Amino acid sequence: MKTTFKAITLLFVAVVFLMGTSASAQQAKAKPWPVPDKDKALKPSVKLTDASVIASGKELWAKHCKSCHGAKGLGDGPKAAGLKTFAGDFSSAAFQAGTDGEILYRTDKGRDEMPAYEKKIPDINDRWALVAYMRTFKK
């Protein structure tokens, strides 16, 4: 009986692993997302290292971003597997190397499955707070 239980458990684990692997394998890698030079050069209107700004960004993240991008920005939120394109790893060196203006631009404008937040979060300081919070994902 123990051998049968172990075999069934092992089979279940293997099926779950394969399902997870095939779901992520079907997602396309994000194509390049150019940002206009003027937007790359934008400077924050808030201090991105201020604890209250980061806390505000964390609240906004939980409401608007976490479902796709995950709690730590790894692209592993509960809705991520259903996306056509990988939601991105915001802890990566490539993401973190982007300027604050690039992150704000992409947050504001959106593209494909990524919604635009310029109107959903109308206060520019709130959107900068999201940038501040995304900066905390740095490895």
Side-chain angles (χ1 to χ4, degrees), residues 93-113:
F95 178 85
Q96 292 292 330
T99 68
D100 297 329
E102 285 177 296
I103 297 171
L104 180 73
Y105 176 87
R106 292 176 178 139
T107 302
D108 282 355
K109 305 302 180 196
R111 140 180 120 162
D112 300 331
E113 296 170 291

Side-chain angles (χ1 to χ4, degrees), residues 33-45:
W33 192 345
V35 175
D37 288 340
K38 68 178 181 63
D39 292 295
K40 283 182 188 178
L42 282 176
K43 299 297 178 201
S45 56

Side-chain angles (χ1 to χ4, degrees), residues 27-28 30 65 67-70 73-77 79-81 83-90 95 113-114:
Q27 287 184 318
C65 313
S67 62
C68 292
H69 295 290
L74 301 176
D76 61 351
K79 291 183 180 178
L83 300 175
K84 294 176 188 170
T85 305
F86 175 58
D89 178 354
F90 294 173
F95 178 85
E113 296 170 291
M114 167 70 186

Side-chain angles (χ1 to χ4, degrees), residues 42-94:
L42 282 176
K43 299 297 178 201
S45 56
V46 297
K47 186 175 179 186
L48 299 184
T49 56
D50 182 280
S52 65
V53 171
I54 293 169
S56 176
K58 184 176 183 177
E59 287 179 26
L60 290 163
W61 179 269
K63 181 177 180 183
H64 297 284
C65 313
K66 185 177 175 181
S67 62
C68 292
H69 295 290
K72 296 183 180 183
L74 301 176
D76 61 351
K79 291 183 180 178
L83 300 175
K84 294 176 188 170
T85 305
F86 175 58
D89 178 354
F90 294 173
S91 70
S92 72

Side-chain angles (χ1 to χ4, degrees), residues 2 29 88 126:
K2 284 186 176 184
K29 182 179 177 189
D126 286 342

